[in-house]
Amino acid sequence: MAQEYDLVILGGGTGGYVAAIRASQLGLKTALVEKGKLGGTCLHNGCIPSKALLRSAEVYATAKRSDEYGIMTSDVTVDFGKVQERKGKIVETLHKGVQHLMKQGKIDVYEGLGRILGPSIFSPMPGTISVEMNNGEENEMLIPKNVIVATGSRPRTLPGLEIGGNVMTSDEALKLEEIPSSIIIVGGGVIGIEWASMLSDFGAEVTVIEYADRIIPTEDKEISKEMQRLMKKKGVKIVTNAKVLPETLSQGDQVTISAEVKGEQKQFTAEKLLVSVGRQANTEGIGIENTDIQVEKGAILVNEYYQTKESHIYAIGDVIGGLQLAHVASHEGITAVEHIAGENPSPLDYRLISKCIYSSPEAASVGYTEDEAREKGYKVKTGKFSFRAIGKALVYGESDGFVKIIADEETNDLLGVHMIGPHVTDMISEAGLAMVLDATPWEVAHTIHPHPTLSEAIGEAALAVEGKAIHG
């Protein structure tokens, strides 16, 4: 028997389940369809498990240099089985939490693969959802007034680099049973650098091969330069301006690939190969062909409220491309639901969204890079302040890095804030709030930052915009 709903959401990842909760709050009868586990990529194959591994790597790296803190240890070793067990417990705890939220919100969860049907006996418009149930029972038919597609993304691969054996994406890497002695990482973006940092801290010999002229190329150039310096400091080999030639791939106990580096062909060999070249939207097999929904460059096209060409069908998160971040998907989902409910939400301003890299050191940013600001015609002034002059950073034993603030010379408005150093992923929200409130560096500087804290670097960088830093 067909079930009727105000809203059916395809995909129970961060964007999907947050949208479901908001819909429940607004009184919409809501169903969520998920073929895997609630929580999606972020909870099971991305944000949470990778950060759990990064934390263990950080603790191990700190323990190996504990004598710097006056703590004498010996024979510090890694039990990678326990590292993975800890990761699993964290994921399971959060998974149970999401399941509880669905029950609390009286949201019907269908475990199976949902497909959008075209006009049928159920509805004159496309949008009825047929759910192929995981338990093998007869397909469920869901008739919604509105649909949100939140099917996420998967790791992208390169032609010729077949996944299997010693060649992995981040999905397979999360299931490693032991730390490889050496690894080549193809791709020096956010995910690649996080894995490079983690595996290097665990003791692996790491080589990063990046096609662009610098690692983390979407970040401010000064952040990229500092990240490269600090990765090299911990022993990571970084090769930029490198085009991998996958046809030369060979496997055995080791992987060998070739790359064209600045016009010269070079070979690289390691125990494992991690392909980290971005993610592609999951648009296949969900019935898009039964609708007028438009797909461009592999991503679903939407308007500012996430409506597709079928106005009652919305799409959010990684499946629409853009900033493929869990917190972005969540807010896109909330905006879509509020638009469905007639709440008149404000469209997201993607310039105000903070981005984080959880490597060691961490990096975080919000707003324009210096180059972007200049390209948009702004007259730019900047202030920068090093963590080396921050007492709390010295106490932590992590004084590399800096905070950089970019402002408009004419209006004094903040244009961007960029950080690299200890715990900056926890500090970036202050800068994000300042951007939302259209603050000036003067206002940030006159926010009294407690001493001793790492956040003092933000206040000092804001003063430095006008050449008035106290400790620099």
Side-chain angles (χ1 to χ4, degrees):
M1 180 177 172
Q3 300 291 325
E4 295 187 1
Y5 289 95
D6 295 316
L7 174 64
V8 172
I9 299 168
L10 290 185
T14 309
Y17 84 71
V18 168
I21 292 169
R22 185 68 184 118
S24 172
Q25 290 173 345
L26 291 170
L28 301 180
K29 185 181 179 185
T30 303
L32 189 151
V33 182
E34 170 54 52
K35 69 175 182 178
K37 291 184 176 181
L38 286 173
T41 294
C42 178
L43 179 52
H44 299 283
N45 293 306
C47 323
I48 299 302
S50 65
K51 276 52 180 181
L53 296 182
L54 277 158
R55 175 59 177 156
S56 290
E58 179 186 27
V59 170
Y60 178 55
T62 301
K64 286 195 296 182
R65 60 185 185 93
S66 64
D67 59 315
E68 295 176 18
Y69 301 85
I71 309 298
M72 313 312 292
T73 58
S74 60
D75 300 324
V76 178
T77 58
V78 176
D79 183 333
F80 201 64
K82 286 189 175 180
V83 169
Q84 289 284 31
E85 183 182 337
R86 177 178 184 270
K87 178 201 78 178
K89 287 179 179 177
I90 293 168
V91 170
E92 184 55 31
T93 297
L94 293 170
H95 182 224
K96 287 178 179 176
V98 176
Q99 290 174 316
H100 170 73
L101 290 170
M102 295 300 99
K103 290 177 182 176
Q104 181 177 277
K106 296 181 172 57
I107 297 156
D108 293 339
V109 177
Y110 292 84
E111 296 179 357
L113 175 62
R115 291 186 178 89
I116 304 170
L117 301 182
S120 65
I121 59 171
F122 299 104
S123 173
M125 295 190 303
T128 296
I129 306 297
S130 172
V131 185
E132 183 182 327
M133 301 299 289
N134 289 346
N135 58 16
E137 292 183 1
E138 186 179 342
N139 281 21
E140 293 276 3
M141 303 300 291
L142 313 181
I143 307 173
K145 294 176 183 175
N146 295 279
V147 175
I148 293 179
V149 178
T151 48
S153 65
R154 62 190 183 277
R156 192 182 298 277
T157 57
L158 289 174
L161 293 185
E162 301 301 326
I163 304 304
N166 292 338
V167 181
M168 313 172 291
T169 68
S170 55
D171 284 358
E172 292 76 30
L174 285 168
K175 300 179 180 71
L176 282 170
E177 295 181 358
E178 57 185 27
I179 300 159
S181 60
S182 58
I183 189 165
I184 298 163
I185 299 176
V186 177
V190 174
I191 296 172
I193 290 303
E194 287 184 354
W195 277 98
S197 174
M198 176 209 305
L199 291 170
S200 176
D201 281 346
F202 274 136
E205 183 181 299
V206 180
T207 301
V208 175
I209 301 177
E210 169 56 42
Y211 180 78
D213 61 357
R214 58 190 174 102
I215 59 172
I216 49 172
T218 57
E219 298 298 317
D220 190 87
K221 280 183 179 176
E222 289 191 81
I223 298 292
S224 291
K225 184 178 179 181
E226 180 74 349
M227 181 67 80
Q228 183 157 324
R229 182 183 77 82
L230 295 175
M231 286 293 112
K232 287 183 175 179
K233 184 178 176 182
K234 67 166 63 185
V236 176
K237 297 174 184 174
I238 294 176
V239 183
T240 54
N241 293 296
K243 181 182 179 182
V244 172
L245 306 174
E247 67 272 16
T248 61
L249 175 67
S250 65
Q251 282 200 52
D253 292 336
Q254 293 187 310
V255 184
T256 299
I257 61 170
S258 290
E260 188 179 294
V261 184
K262 298 176 182 176
E264 181 182 349
Q265 189 165 320
K266 295 185 178 181
Q267 284 199 328
F268 302 87
T269 300
E271 182 185 339
K272 301 282 186 184
L273 174 68
L274 173 61
V275 182
S276 179
V277 290
R279 300 182 65 85
Q280 64 187 79
N282 292 327
T283 57
E284 307 88 350
I286 58 173
I288 287 177
E289 66 278 5
N290 299 324
T291 73
D292 288 333
I293 292 173
Q294 294 178 313
V295 177
E296 187 176 282
K297 296 180 180 178
I300 294 175
L301 292 180
V302 294
N303 66 13
E304 61 188 350
Y305 299 110
Y306 310 106
Q307 289 172 293
T308 67
K309 195 173 181 184
E310 301 275 7
S311 61
H312 63 297
I313 302 178
Y314 294 65
I316 63 166
D318 287 10
V319 77
I320 66 172
L323 285 178
Q324 294 181 317
L325 303 169
H327 50 290
V328 172
S330 295
H331 284 273
E332 289 173 345
I334 290 168
T335 300
V337 167
E338 290 181 350
H339 189 260
I340 288 168
E343 293 285 305
N344 195 30
S346 298
L348 291 189
D349 183 345
Y350 288 88
R351 184 179 61 91
L352 304 180
I353 293 172
S354 298
K355 299 177 293 180
C356 297
I357 304 173
Y358 297 88
S359 51
S360 179
E362 294 182 346
S365 63
V366 61
Y368 297 134
T369 66
E370 185 173 347
D371 283 350
E372 287 171 342
R374 293 186 190 282
E375 286 166 9
K376 290 184 179 294
Y378 291 102
K379 290 184 178 178
V380 166
K381 57 183 178 180
T382 66
K384 192 164 80 169
F385 197 83
S386 172
F387 280 108
R388 292 187 184 280
I390 298 297
K392 188 68 175 287
L394 296 175
V395 168
Y396 270 171
E398 299 177 34
S399 57
D400 284 315
F402 56 84
V403 173
K404 176 180 178 179
I405 291 180
I406 301 163
D408 184 346
E409 195 174 288
E410 294 181 350
T411 66
N412 216 30
D413 288 338
L414 279 179
L415 298 176
V417 181
H418 305 269
M419 308 179 186
I420 182 168
H423 299 276
V424 295
T425 61
D426 297 311
M427 292 165 54
I428 193 64
S429 292
E430 177 188 337
L433 178 61
M435 294 279 291
V436 167
L437 297 177
D438 202 21
T440 64
W442 183 91
E443 289 166 317
V444 173
H446 283 76
T447 299
I448 298 176
H449 296 81
H451 175 77
T453 63
L454 297 171
S455 69
E456 290 177 272
I458 299 174
E460 290 278 12
L463 286 169
V465 172
E466 301 296 344
K468 296 177 181 177
I470 300 299
H471 294 94

